[in-house]
Amino acid sequence: MTNSAVPCLFRLSFFLFTLQVMNVGRISATTRFYQFKVQTIRLTRLCQTNEIVTVNGKFPGPAISAQEDDRIVVKVINMTPYNTTIHWHGIKQKLSCWYDGPSYITQCPIQSGQSFTYNFKVAQQKGTFLWHAHFSWLRATVYGPLIVYPKASVPYPFKKPFNEHTILLGEYWLKNVVELEQQVMESGGPPPPADAFTINGQPGPNYNCSSNDVYEIQIVPRKTYLLRLINAGINMETFFTIANHRLTIVEVDGEYTKPYTTERVMLVPGQTMNILVTADQAVGRYSMAMGPYESAKNVKFQNTSAIANFQYIGAFPNSVTVPAKLPIFNDNVAVKTVMDGLRSLNAVDVPRNIDAHLFITIGINVNKCNSENPNNKCQGPRKGRLAASMNNISFVEPKVSILEAYYKQLEGYFTLDFPTTPEKAYDFVNGAPNDIANDTQAANGTRAIVFEYGSRIQIIFQNTGTLTTENHPIHLHGHSFYVIGYGTGNYDQQAAQFNLEDPPYMNTIGVPVGGWAAIRFVANNPGLWLLHCHFDIHQTWGMSTMFIVKNGKKVQESLPHPPADLPKC
């Protein structure tokens, strides 16, 4: 090689290296743009054609995909007669609280004919998440997957699967769900059960007029598949299984877990779970089944399973489908067995020194009914009206954005306008006693729990129920948490056993029937965050509260200014 060629070769190598660095930068910091048109379509299911609300005319809605640390920008255009918002369930919204999505909490709803652009980063997050409407019960049809893949150079902590499929478990109503919520609230009674369960929008052959409405996966024998399970239902926890196949859980709520193999899983609404399935059976057609887990007593529920096909390539077209066996609807042992098997993949840094200990009771209430029309307005037990509460306070949803009001308070002025005084709006509600021991009447209020930035929090959720007890799926916005313990009966500090080495890291926890669950997390995301039961009926009844995390000492620990196009109430 000549001397003159060496500098040229060096310059070429440097150019290629620079280009490679630029490409890596683009890969690790890509902005993904989407447009969501919230619109109504006519859909035929269960022998009946109805008008439902969808995104981009799809049911379920379109998938969003990204890589860890990507930015996601979604312009939402509301073309329906209803208000709407979109919540990005499981995304922590680090320093982007304004885009979290719960109506009247972090934003006013997007009104008919208006639009709003969500703009957030999936910072240090990867895994299976979902997006869904967070206004009224529109989540029944307005939902879809949000998949965040590891960076290109980061492998899964398990052998790469041959292929992957997303499985959305849902509930379907023939009635208009916005009107249905209004009717339930006016009656004071319980909601009707869903007309069907669905797997990726299809009910399957167990329902009328649905023999052809069956979702199907084509499987190559002896290959291993990753199934991304998402429970998008609104009022029901559900079991899922595949006939004659074992399911290995490797991720829950966007966090890797130690592999745990089981025959069936249970997902609460809002929960996601990644499972590995190996096609190790004889070539044929096997059913994937979704059925109810109903832990409450004397509650009407849909008890017909949704069925999808897990079909091996090479199976005869007229093959008899091998049926899947689901647990009985109230099998608490099956639920506990799976929960016992969930552990973080590695040892984790669980907060040890706690700054704030909270004890939060959750339960169903019966309020007295003073209506002049009790036959229509008082259809709850004992001719009362059903409600739900945390610490015996039933949350009252205001008609302003509470985050905006809080931000204006930080700026030196205050414009809250909901049924409580500004001082009490930020009361520290910590283990408020249930002073109505012989009744189930709850107080009404709009309260928030205030934390200093960086506070280490422990919460004991105690499931109570003079009326009934059930498994409550409690979801925290803006944070994930370590589930360090759970059990039946009343929480006993002396007897409770905590896992502080490798507990699962989740954003939605099913508090056991008549029992308790303990979580820990660090409040390191400034803003205002909703804590609520992920049964929509329970949230509607008031099983919610809010966390306010104050600003830290640094700019990067402070709530940013609101976006210019934030919707107005």
Side-chain angles (χ1 to χ4, degrees), residues 281-359:
Q281 298 298 303
V283 171
R285 178 185 291 156
Y286 300 83
S287 66
M288 298 187 289
M290 166 200 182
Y293 169 52
E294 179 52 72
S295 55
K297 296 180 179 179
N298 304 316
V299 173
K300 294 181 179 179
F301 61 93
Q302 176 57 255
N303 201 20
T304 301
S305 303
I307 299 296
N309 289 335
F310 193 75
Q311 180 164 319
Y312 283 62
I313 293 175
F316 293 110
N318 58 350
S319 297
V320 176
T321 302
V322 178
K325 184 178 180 181
L326 288 163
I328 60 173
F329 70 90
N330 59 355
D331 192 341
N332 298 328
V333 174
V335 174
K336 183 180 184 301
T337 300
V338 172
M339 191 63 201
D340 287 345
L342 298 183
R343 294 286 185 271
S344 286
L345 181 62
N346 302 303
V348 291
D349 186 17
V350 181
R352 302 297 177 110
N353 299 316
I354 302 302
D355 301 305
H357 293 264
L358 280 73
F359 187 88

Side-chain angles (χ1 to χ4, degrees), residues 7-295:
C8 293
L9 182 60
F10 174 79
R11 285 194 295 271
L12 177 61
S13 299
F14 181 77
F15 172 76
L16 292 175
F17 172 77
T18 303
L19 186 62
Q20 184 180 18
V21 170
M22 292 174 62
N23 284 335
V24 169
R26 280 195 287 267
I27 291 172
S28 62
T30 298
T31 300
R32 315 274 179 167
F33 293 94
Y34 293 87
Q35 180 172 275
F36 276 14
K37 292 183 178 180
V38 185
Q39 56 191 182
T40 58
I41 65 168
R42 293 187 65 78
L43 184 73
T44 300
R45 290 286 187 276
L46 312 175
C47 318
Q48 189 171 317
T49 300
N50 297 87
E51 193 171 76
I52 66 170
V53 179
T54 65
V55 167
N56 297 346
K58 296 181 178 181
F59 173 67
I64 285 182
S65 62
Q67 281 188 335
E68 182 180 3
D69 291 336
D70 279 355
R71 180 167 296 278
I72 296 175
V73 179
V74 185
K75 182 176 183 180
V76 177
I77 305 169
N78 187 4
M79 304 168 66
T80 75
Y82 314 109
N83 289 344
T84 194
T85 65
I86 301 294
H87 169 54
W88 317 94
H89 187 108
I91 302 301
K92 295 177 184 176
Q93 299 292 353
K94 187 69 174 180
L95 295 179
S96 54
C97 187
W98 300 103
Y99 301 110
D100 191 41
S103 58
Y104 301 115
I105 305 298
T106 59
Q107 68 167 99
C108 296
I110 307 168
Q111 299 179 29
S112 179
Q114 303 298 312
S115 66
F116 177 53
T117 300
Y118 293 88
N119 186 334
F120 56 91
K121 187 176 181 181
V122 285
Q124 298 180 345
Q125 286 191 268
K126 55 184 176 292
T128 300
F129 306 95
L130 72 150
W131 58 263
H132 60 76
H134 215 297
F135 180 86
S136 184
W137 289 3
L138 287 178
R139 181 163 65 91
T141 56
V142 181
Y143 63 83
L146 196 169
I147 311 301
V148 182
Y149 292 95
K151 295 178 181 179
S153 58
V154 179
Y156 291 127
F158 45 82
K159 184 178 179 181
K160 185 177 180 181
F162 176 73
N163 205 346
E164 66 175 56
H165 297 274
T166 301
I167 307 293
L168 291 145
L169 310 176
E171 296 168 85
Y172 188 80
W173 275 265
L174 291 172
K175 292 183 178 180
N176 180 300
V177 291
V178 175
E179 296 175 0
L180 180 62
E181 183 200 30
Q182 294 170 349
Q183 293 168 8
V184 170
M185 290 304 293
E186 288 176 2
S187 74
D195 293 293
F197 292 123
T198 60
I199 298 177
N200 284 1
Q202 305 290 354
N206 288 345
Y207 294 93
N208 290 338
C209 308
S210 302
S211 59
N212 294 322
D213 295 335
V214 185
Y215 177 72
E216 184 173 279
I217 296 177
Q218 293 286 328
I219 299 298
V220 176
R222 294 178 296 281
K223 297 296 185 181
T224 297
Y225 290 79
L226 177 67
L227 301 187
R228 298 179 180 270
L229 304 181
I230 300 172
N231 188 347
I234 70 170
N235 286 333
M236 204 72 201
E237 297 165 322
T238 54
F239 290 109
F240 176 86
T241 189
I242 303 176
N244 290 14
H245 289 74
R246 304 277 284 172
L247 316 177
T248 299
I249 303 169
V250 293
E251 177 191 302
V252 176
D253 284 358
E255 296 289 338
Y256 293 132
T257 63
K258 290 181 173 66
Y260 178 74
T261 302
T262 179
E263 294 181 352
R264 83 278 295 179
V265 295
M266 193 281 286
L267 288 85
V268 304
Q271 192 170 60
T272 68
M273 185 178 292
N274 284 5
I275 61 174
L276 296 175
V277 182
T278 299
D280 56 4
Q281 298 298 303
V283 171
R285 178 185 291 156
Y286 300 83
S287 66
M288 298 187 289
M290 166 200 182
Y293 169 52
E294 179 52 72
S295 55

Side-chain angles (χ1 to χ4, degrees), residues 94-95 403 406 409-410 426 428 449-455 457 479 523-529 547-560:
K94 187 69 174 180
L95 295 179
L403 178 60
Y406 171 66
Q409 184 195 40
L410 291 178
Y426 302 107
F428 193 111
I449 303 172
V450 182
F451 298 120
E452 297 292 335
Y453 181 88
S455 295
I457 313 301
H479 298 78
N524 57 5
N525 195 2
L528 185 143
W529 308 103
F547 288 169
I548 292 174
V549 180
K550 292 184 178 181
N551 286 340
K553 297 180 180 180
K554 303 176 182 178
V555 174
Q556 60 268 33
E557 299 172 348
S558 299
L559 179 67

